Every structure is written in structure tokens, then in C-alpha cells.
């Protein structure tokens, strides 16, 4: 984690902003690939015919430092709105923002100020006050303190205790995004002139609830926070609400020195905005403008400090390299960077040390050998010009790595089935790495009365006891592919102890076979430059006669023996009388059909005797007869897949001939009626 503090009152009252390395990497990327994505979204509709589309595009391009290709068209769109006899405050705010952002040389309607003041005075909604004050601020007009005070009183009545705001008095639900609009409106109101006593009191009450609002932020993944958005903002409602809060609070912090923001949460909210995927021009506007507000030169702008190298060797003549950028990865102003001494023995410097500037990086020379470990240290950044950025204090970590020495390896056989009961060794040997062997040692497991104990010491480069993250003993049997693993326990004096019993081997290996077992030491740690797996020696094991030997299949990953599936025994057929009854029941509908046909008789007199109706009627009857014959064949020998295509063709033929045949029959009856 890195830590960034805000200068002045921010440092005294807030502490520091924690900036994780991953978050800063994302913020730095915003100036490159993410910027291209936003530009692509803005240029997707290059016409920008509507005022709202033009507003989003102009503000996004201004925040990204880009000049629009259709500059004149966008200025013309804004001027068409401004030429109307009466302009709503929302449209006036958007049009004036376009003209200010693009530098359009267009005249302003002289009655616009009066229209905005009338709308401000009559407005009872947050949106009306927001757009009216925003438009007046863009006009750079002075406004009566009473008018500003009445507007702020209207907004204050829309505030809830948790710092969120409602858009209108009749709105039940409050919104964090609405609070962001209030902060931006309040920053604009401070440019219109002095406030009345009532207006000043309302502004103070609003500012005091800022910390409450940030308490509503919810976690969204690692090191990111977000606010719940409004349904009206669509799929990216959370992005809109979060960006509005960041934009409004950043503008208010620059306009009012006493405004205090919860700096760590500002960092995490910015991380959410950076990671969000912009879908349309409005999303691109929210992302670009909110992050640009955090990056704009101001006494409250934080600077990010990054360690170029995360670890160094414990050998002398090493160097720590740092870089300083803005929160969006842009070049930082000229700064003085100082590393401060840390509390405790693990410190890089004993006195505050200024870093040298080399090739755009700040370098601290580490001439003396350092003890292996993780050094947490503070870096103070002091901009030469305090008006463009905040002084900050960042906490960083540095890993000092080195080679670990393994010494005092002792292998011994002890009596007793349990390693927890102290006993004198029956046999022992010392092993020196590399090489060494303890093959003469024998673990006699008769009556499970013995166990093996291995002890060793780990020393750092300064020959102090070293606690490694992984210290294990691997025991490999003479047969099979599996191995048994034992974790070393570190004692108070810095010695690691391993204990191996036959029952533990049997549990991990599935059995114990007689023979020579190889055992190796496995060492690993992020501070070790020589993590290793080293063979120590061999150990002869004689298991008792009644102990299960290691199976031929070494472990569950070994190849299993071939097998052939046993055929299933055929089921006995049902009794013959059941088959006969089923057959009779299946043929009974067919018998009933012929009986009914015999009762009804054949009406040959109605059969057509001339014209195409003869062919259609013959086709209909032949089709029906063919279908019945096909069903008989299906019953006798055809499969479903063989029968269905034929049935489909016969049904199609029957339908094609049946419709005209029946139509002719109806026409004949109508004729003779």
C-alpha cells in the first residue's frame, strides 16, 4: 500500500490517503489506453446534433485535453439554443459550458441573466437551483446575497441526515448523486458574490454532512468503493452517482479551504470510476470530468509516489528508486522528496534524507548492508509551488533479500512412539550441506517404538536467526510415486525441529515398506534469494511384520490397471399372455374403425364425376390410405427415423389434395341446396 496525504488542514485533520499499487497502475493507464476508449465513445456519433450530446462531448474532450474536429458545428449547436427568446436554465447551463469549453466567440443574450434569476427564485427543486446557479457562474455575474441565500435554503430542505439529498420535495428517496450536484452547485455559488447570514449557515450545514455521505459508500471489489445510483441513470447508475460525488466534492474542496474530505475513500471511489466501463457519451463524461477534477492543479491535489523497485539485495551499493506523478499518472510538478527514519530497528535511514533526482526518478543510495526483511518507511513529498499540489506523506514497503545459510543439521533416532516426549538419541549424525549422508541410520519400527528427529538452523546474511515462510522435510519411499511432507517448528532459540514417526509415514503414504527412504529439505521465502530443495541423506526403515506395505500404486495420480466392463445379464421377457393382451388393446382402435366404416357405408354418389375435383378426391383418399398403410409398416418393421420422413411427405400430399377436394364438395352442396 502507498499512502498519500493532503496538505494544510488535510494533513492535520485527515491523515493520509492509502493508494494501493494496483489502483495507481490503473490510474496511470487512464492517460493512455483508457483515454483512447473514451475518445472512441465520444467520436462514435460525430454529428452531436442534440444539445445534450454536444455538452457531454465538449466537456469530455476538454477534460481529456483534446480539441474536437467539429468545433464550429458544436459552437453553432450551442448558439442556436442561446438565440431562443427564453432559455431554460438547464439548456443555458449546457450551452454556456460548451461555449466556455471550446472558446466559442458567440454573443450572449442580454436578458439571459434576468431569466435565470427569475427561474432561480421560483425553483423548488435541486435541478432548477443547480442549473441556474451553474449558468450564472459561467456568465460570471454578481448575484444578490439574498437570492443566493434563498436558493441554498431551498436545497438545505432537501437534505437528509446521512448527507444525501432528494431532487424534489415530493421525492421519497434520497441520492448520493444528488449530493454531488449540491457540492458542485455550492462551489459555483461561492463565485457569485457574498452570501447572506442564512445562506452562509445553510452552506456550513451542508458542508458538515460530507463525511456522513462518504460513509454511505459501499465496497465494490478490491480497494474500490461506489455509491448506489438512481434508476434514471440507466445501467451505469453507480458510475454516475460516484462520479458526481467526486466531481462536486473536488470542486468544493478547491473553492472552500475548510472543506475536509475523507481522503482514503476519495481514493477508493476514484479507483471504481477508473475501472468502470463507459457505455455511452454520458458515461465517458462522468469518468473524464470527475478524474480531471481530482487531477487539476490546486493546493488539495494529491501526488502519487511509486517505488520503481520493490526489492533490493542485502549486499551494499544498492539503490531505492521512486517516481512521483499526479493521481492520473501525469508528470508531477517540481518536488522535494525526503525519506524519513522509521520507528524500530528496521529503518533505511537514521535521519531524514533527501533523494537525488536522476533521469526523472528520485534515488536513495543504500551503501551499507541491510538486514533481510520488509522495511516500511515514509516518504515526504513537498511541491516547490504549494498552490499546484498538496504536500504529502506516503508509506511504502521495500523487501531486502539475501542468501540464507543452513547449518547445524542433526539427524537422530529417538526411542518412543511420540515425538512430544523427550528422550535420549539412540543414534545420531551431523550433516553438512551441500552433500552429507545419514544412510547408516536405521528407524526400527518394531512395536512402533522409535521416531526420527531432525534439527537445523537458518541464518540470514548478518548471521541472525531467520524465520522462513516454508521449511519442510520431504520423505520419499523406495517404492511408489508419493512422498510424505513434514513441517518444521521453530523454537524460541531459532532452531527448526522435524519429527517423523512410522505412523505418520503410514498415514501419508498408505503403508510403510522396508528399504531406504530419501529425505530432502525444502526452503522458500520471498526474502530468500536461494530458495531450494536439497537432498540431505537416506534413512533405512524396518517396519514390523504386521504393518501394511506401501501399495504398488503409489498415489491417486498413478495409472490404474486396465479393466473390462462385465456385460449386463439380459432381463427375462414378460409372460406371453401379457404380450397378447397388449397386442389386442393396440389393434382394437383399428378394428373399431373398420366396424364404424361398415356401419356407415360408402357414399359413392357424392364422388365427383367430372373436372379436376376427381383428381383431388382420389389424391385425398389415396393419401389417407397411404398413411394408414405406413402406420401398419411402422408397427411391423420400420423405425421412427425411417417412418417420419415418409409420413411428412404423405401428410403434405394429403393436405394439398384434401383442401381443394373438400372445397369442391362444399361448393357442390351449396349449388344443389
Amino acid at each position: 500500500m502507498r499512502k498519500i496525504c493532503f496538505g494544510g488542514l488535510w494533513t492535520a485533520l485527515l491523515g493520509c490517503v492509502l493508494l494501493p499499487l494496483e489502483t495507481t497502475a490503473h490510474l496511470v493507464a487512464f492517460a493512455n489506453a483508457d483515454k483512447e476508449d473514451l475518445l472512441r465513445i465520444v467520436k462514435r456519433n460525430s454529428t452531436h446534433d442534440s444539445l445534450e450530446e454536444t455538452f457531454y462531448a465538449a466537456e469530455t474532450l476538454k477534460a481529456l485535453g483534446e480539441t474536437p474536429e467539429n468545433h464550429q458545428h458544436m459552437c453553432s449547436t450551442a448558439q442556436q439554443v442561446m438565440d431562443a427568446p427564453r432559455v431554460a436554465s438547464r439548456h443555458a447551463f449546457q450551452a454556456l459550458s460548451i461555449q466556455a469549453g471550446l472558446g466559442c466567440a458567440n454573443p450572449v443574450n442580454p436578458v439571459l441573466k434576468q431569466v435565470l434569476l427569475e427561474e432561480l427564485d421560483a425553483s423548488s427543486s435541486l435541478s432548477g437551483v443547480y442549473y441556474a446557479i451553474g449558468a450564472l457562474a459561467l456568465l460570471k455575474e454578481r448575484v444578490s446575497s439574498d437570492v443566493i441565500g434563498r436558493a441554498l435554503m431551498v436545497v438545505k430542505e432537501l437534505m437528509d441526515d446521512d448527507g444525501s439529498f432528494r431532487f424534489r420535495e415530493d421525492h421519497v428517496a434520497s441520492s448520493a448523486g444528488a449530493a454531488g450536484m449540491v457540492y458542485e452547485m455550492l462551489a459555483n455559488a461561492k463565485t457569485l458574490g457574498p452570501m447572506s447570514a442564512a445562506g452562509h449557515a445553510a452552506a456550513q450545514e451542508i458542508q458538515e454532512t460530507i463525511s456522513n455521505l462518504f460513509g454511505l459508500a459501499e465496497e465494490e471489489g478490491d480497494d474500490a468503493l461506489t455509491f448506489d445510483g438512481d434508476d434514471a441513470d440507466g445501467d451505469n447508475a453507480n458510475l454516475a452517482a460516484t462520479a458526481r460525488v467526486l466531481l462536486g466534492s473536488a470542486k468544493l474542496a478547491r473553492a472552500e479551504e475548510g472543506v475536509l474530505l475523507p481522503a482514503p475513500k476519495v481514493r477508493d471511489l476514484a479507483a471504481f470510476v477508473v475501472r468502470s466501463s463507459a457505455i455511452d457519451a454520458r458515461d465517458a463524461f462522468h469518468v473524464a470530468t470527475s478524474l480531471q477534477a481530482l487531477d487539476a492543479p490546486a493546493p488539495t491535489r494529491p501526488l502519487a509516489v511509486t517505488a520503481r523497485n520493490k526489492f533490493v539485495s542485502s549486499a551494499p551499493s544498492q539503490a531505492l528508486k521512486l517516481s512521483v506523478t499526479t493521481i492520473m499518472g501525469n508528470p508531477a510538478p517540481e518536488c522535494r522528496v525526503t525519506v524519513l527514519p522509521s520507528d524500530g530497528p528496521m529503518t533505511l535511514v537514521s535521519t531524514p534524507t533527501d533523494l537525488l533526482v536522476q533521469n526523472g526518478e528520485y534515488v536513495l543510495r543504500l551503501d551499507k548492508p541491510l538486514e533481510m526483511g520488509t522495511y516500511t518507511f515514509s516518504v515526504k513529498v513537498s511541491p516547490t509551488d504549494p498552490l499546484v499540489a498538496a504536500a504529502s506523506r506516503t508509506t511504502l514497503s521495500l523487501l531486502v533479500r539475501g542468501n540464507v545459510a543452513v547449518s547445524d543439521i542433526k539427524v537422530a533416532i529417538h526411542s518412543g512412539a511420540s515425538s512430544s516426549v523427550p528422550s535420549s538419541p539412540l543414534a545420531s549424525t551431523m550433516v553438512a550441506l551441500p552433500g552429507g549422508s545419514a544412510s547408516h541410520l536405521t528407524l526400527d519400527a518394531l512395536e512402533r517404538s522409535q521416531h526420527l528427529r531432525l534439527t537445523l538452523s537458518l541464518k540470514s546474511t548478518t548471521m541472525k536467526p531467520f524465520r522462513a515462510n516454508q521449511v519442510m522435510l520431504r520423505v520419499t519411499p523406495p517404492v511408489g510415486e508419493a512422498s510424505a511432507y513434514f513441517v518444521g517448528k521453530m523454537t524460541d532459540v531459532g532452531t527448526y525441529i522435524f519429527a517423523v514417526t512410522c505412523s505418520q509415514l503410514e498415514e501419508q503414504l498408505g503403508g510403510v515398506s522396508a528399504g531406504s527412504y530419501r529425505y530432502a529439505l525444502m526452503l522458500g521465502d520471498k526474502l530468500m534469494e536461494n530458495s531450494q530443495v536439497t537432498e540431505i541423506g537416506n534413512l533405512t526403515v524396518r517396519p514390523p511384520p504386521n504393518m501394511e506395505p506401501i501399495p504398488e500404486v503409489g498415489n491417486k495420480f498413478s495409472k490404474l490397471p486396465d479393466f473390462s466392463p462385465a456385460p449386463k445379464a439380459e432381463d427375462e421377457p414378460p409372460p406371453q399372455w401379457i404380450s397378447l393382451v397388449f397386442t389386442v388393446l393396440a389393434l382394437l382402435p383399428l378394428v373399431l374403425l373398420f366396424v364404424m366404416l361398415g356401419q356407415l357405408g360408402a357414399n359413392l354418389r357424392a364422388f365427383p364425376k367430372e373436372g379436376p375435383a376427381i383428381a383431388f378426391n382420389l389424391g385425398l383418399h389415396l393419401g389417407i390410405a397411404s398413411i394408414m398403410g405406413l402406420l401398419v409398416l411402422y408397427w411391423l418393421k420400420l423405425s421412427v427415423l425411417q417412418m417420419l420422413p415418409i409420413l411428412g411427405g404423405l401428410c403434405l400430399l394429403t393436405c394439398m389434395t384434401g383442401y381443394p377436394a373438400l372445397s369442391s364438395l362444399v361448393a357442390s352442396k351449396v349449388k344443389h341446396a
Side-chain angles (χ1 to χ4, degrees):
M1 301 284 280
R2 75 186 63 175
K3 192 180 287 183
I4 289 184
C5 300
F6 291 80
L9 290 174
W10 294 63
T11 303
L13 299 179
L14 290 180
C16 301
V17 177
L18 294 175
L19 280 182
L21 298 177
E22 179 184 1
T23 302
T24 300
H26 281 294
L27 291 171
V28 171
F30 176 80
N32 303 310
D34 295 342
K35 178 179 178 179
E36 295 300 321
D37 291 339
L38 297 181
L39 289 174
R40 198 159 32 247
I41 293 173
V42 172
K43 295 177 181 179
R44 188 178 298 161
N45 181 5
S46 58
T47 58
H48 305 303
D49 291 327
S50 71
L51 177 65
E52 188 171 25
E53 289 178 354
T54 306
F55 167 73
Y56 288 142
E59 289 296 294
T60 303
L61 293 172
K62 183 178 72 173
L64 297 177
E66 297 288 331
T67 302
E69 298 174 357
N70 53 346
H71 175 277
Q72 293 299 328
H73 177 75
M74 299 173 78
C75 287
S76 175
T77 301
Q79 189 59 37
Q80 289 177 9
V81 176
M82 299 298 292
D83 290 340
R86 189 174 183 88
V87 185
S89 60
R90 176 189 178 96
H91 296 156
F93 172 76
Q94 293 177 341
L96 289 170
S97 297
I98 295 169
Q99 293 178 344
L102 301 180
C104 306
N106 295 325
V108 177
N109 192 331
V111 300
L112 180 59
K113 176 183 176 181
Q114 186 60 35
V115 172
L116 293 173
L117 289 175
E118 292 176 0
E119 190 166 335
L120 177 62
D121 193 51
S123 179
S124 60
S125 68
L126 171 58
S127 298
V129 175
Y130 169 82
Y131 288 117
I133 288 183
L136 289 168
L138 289 169
L139 288 175
K140 299 180 180 179
E141 296 283 356
R142 303 292 287 181
V143 178
S144 166
S145 60
D146 292 335
V147 173
I148 300 175
R150 283 196 300 270
L152 294 183
M153 290 295 293
V154 169
V155 172
K156 186 180 77 72
E157 294 301 320
L158 302 176
M159 181 176 65
D160 288 345
D161 293 338
D162 58 6
S164 60
F165 284 78
R166 288 165 288 141
F167 283 99
R168 293 191 305 272
E169 185 65 35
D170 56 352
H171 254 207
V172 177
S174 57
S175 165
M181 295 175 63
V182 171
Y183 300 155
E184 185 178 358
M185 178 274 299
L186 192 56
N188 289 329
K190 293 179 181 296
T191 66
L192 300 179
M195 296 183 185
S196 62
H200 184 74
Q204 284 295 114
E205 190 170 345
I206 292 172
Q207 292 170 188
E208 289 172 359
T209 62
I210 290 179
S211 60
N212 295 346
L213 176 77
F214 279 88
L216 300 178
E218 300 177 352
E219 291 186 6
E220 183 72 22
D222 296 334
D223 301 317
L225 293 174
T226 183
F227 288 106
D228 286 336
D230 303 301
D231 295 337
D233 288 321
D235 295 335
N236 264 352
N238 287 9
L239 169 61
T242 305
R244 283 172 181 157
V245 172
L246 287 178
L247 175 63
S249 59
K251 287 187 174 181
L252 184 58
R254 288 201 298 271
E256 183 66 35
E257 183 179 354
V259 172
L260 304 178
L261 302 181
K265 292 189 176 181
V266 171
R267 175 280 321 263
D268 290 346
L269 291 166
F272 170 77
V273 173
V274 172
R275 298 175 191 176
S276 299
S277 298
I279 300 175
D280 52 25
R282 181 169 60 177
D283 294 341
F285 161 78
H286 285 312
V287 172
T289 55
S290 61
L291 295 180
Q292 189 272 340
L294 292 175
D295 201 45
T300 56
R301 177 172 60 164
L303 298 178
V305 182
T306 308
R308 290 295 188 183
N309 49 338
K310 304 300 186 297
F311 56 85
V312 297
S313 175
S314 59
S317 301
Q318 302 294 312
L320 169 66
K321 299 179 180 180
L322 305 178
S323 66
V324 181
T325 63
T326 68
I327 195 171
M328 283 172 57
N330 297 321
E334 183 179 352
C335 299
R336 176 185 177 186
V337 180
T338 306
V339 174
L340 305 177
S342 306
D343 296 333
M346 301 286 286
T347 181
L348 292 177
V349 294
S350 56
T351 58
T353 304
D354 292 338
L355 274 62
L356 303 175
V357 181
Q358 295 180 357
N359 300 324
E361 296 179 333
Y362 295 87
V363 180
L364 173 65
R365 296 293 179 185
L366 304 173
D367 297 327
K368 298 181 180 179
L370 297 172
E371 176 64 38
M372 294 171 58
T374 301
Y375 288 76
T376 301
F377 57 97
S378 295
V379 179
K380 181 181 179 182
V381 178
S382 304
T384 304
D385 184 357
L387 297 179
V388 299
S392 63
R393 178 173 297 187
T394 303
T395 298
L396 298 176
S397 295
L398 179 69
L399 301 181
V400 176
R401 307 176 65 191
N403 292 324
V404 172
V406 185
S407 61
D408 302 331
I409 302 178
K410 181 179 181 180
V411 185
I413 299 294
H414 289 254
S415 61
S418 173
S419 60
S420 60
V421 181
S423 62
S424 300
L426 302 177
S428 64
T429 184
M430 299 296 294
V431 180
L433 295 181
S437 174
S439 58
H440 65 281
L441 291 178
T442 299
L443 183 59
D444 191 348
L446 292 173
E447 299 180 1
R448 303 175 184 262
S449 59
Q450 295 178 351
H451 66 273
L452 177 140
R453 181 174 297 181
L454 184 146
T455 59
L456 57 87
S457 298
L458 300 180
K459 302 291 185 182
S460 66
T461 52
T462 56
M463 300 310 293
K464 293 183 179 180
F466 181 78
R467 180 184 292 273
N469 183 53
Q470 176 181 287
V471 182
M472 301 180 69
L473 185 68
R474 184 185 67 194
V475 180
T476 304
V479 296
E481 300 178 4
S483 296
Y485 296 88
F486 302 88
V487 178
K489 297 181 180 180
M490 190 176 187
T491 64
D492 295 337
V493 295
T495 301
Y496 283 92
I497 298 179
F498 300 89
V500 180
T501 66
C502 272
S503 60
Q504 292 172 325
L505 289 175
E506 184 181 19
E507 180 181 354
Q508 293 195 44
L509 302 176
V512 178
S513 300
S516 179
Y517 286 63
R518 305 188 315 274
Y519 53 102
L521 183 62
M522 304 173 66
L523 300 176
D525 194 274
K526 64 181 180 180
L527 298 178
M528 291 180 59
E529 293 180 337
N530 61 333
S531 296
Q532 57 189 277
V533 178
T534 305
E535 295 283 347
I536 295 180
N538 300 302
L539 178 69
T540 302
V541 176
R542 294 199 303 267
N546 60 347
M547 181 169 285
E548 186 72 21
I550 296 177
E552 291 294 330
V553 180
N555 57 34
K556 61 182 179 181
F557 302 108
S558 301
K559 182 180 178 181
L560 298 176
D562 294 333
F563 70 96
S564 57
K568 181 181 178 181
E570 294 184 2
D571 296 330
E572 294 184 3
Q576 188 174 6
W577 67 269
I578 294 180
S579 298
L580 292 175
V581 171
F582 178 77
T583 303
V584 171
L585 292 175
L587 295 176
L588 187 59
L590 189 61
V591 174
L592 292 176
L593 174 63
F594 285 107
V595 171
M596 295 297 293
L597 288 176
Q599 292 291 329
L600 295 173
N603 186 9
L604 298 178
R605 288 178 300 175
F607 199 88
K609 299 178 177 59
E610 60 183 10
I614 298 176
F616 290 135
N617 277 271
L618 286 175
L620 172 62
H621 288 81
L622 288 175
I624 295 174
S626 300
I627 292 174
M628 296 180 65
L630 178 63
L631 294 176
V632 173
L633 290 175
Y634 169 64
W635 179 266
L636 296 176
K637 62 178 182 179
L638 293 181
S639 66
V640 174
L641 295 179
Q642 291 173 325
M643 182 269 294
L644 286 178
I646 302 174
L647 178 62
L650 292 176
C651 289
L652 180 62
L653 177 63
T654 304
C655 292
M656 293 175 62
T657 58
Y659 180 77
L662 295 175
S663 298
S664 64
L665 179 62
V666 172
S668 176
K669 288 184 178 182
V670 172
K671 183 178 179 181
H672 293 88

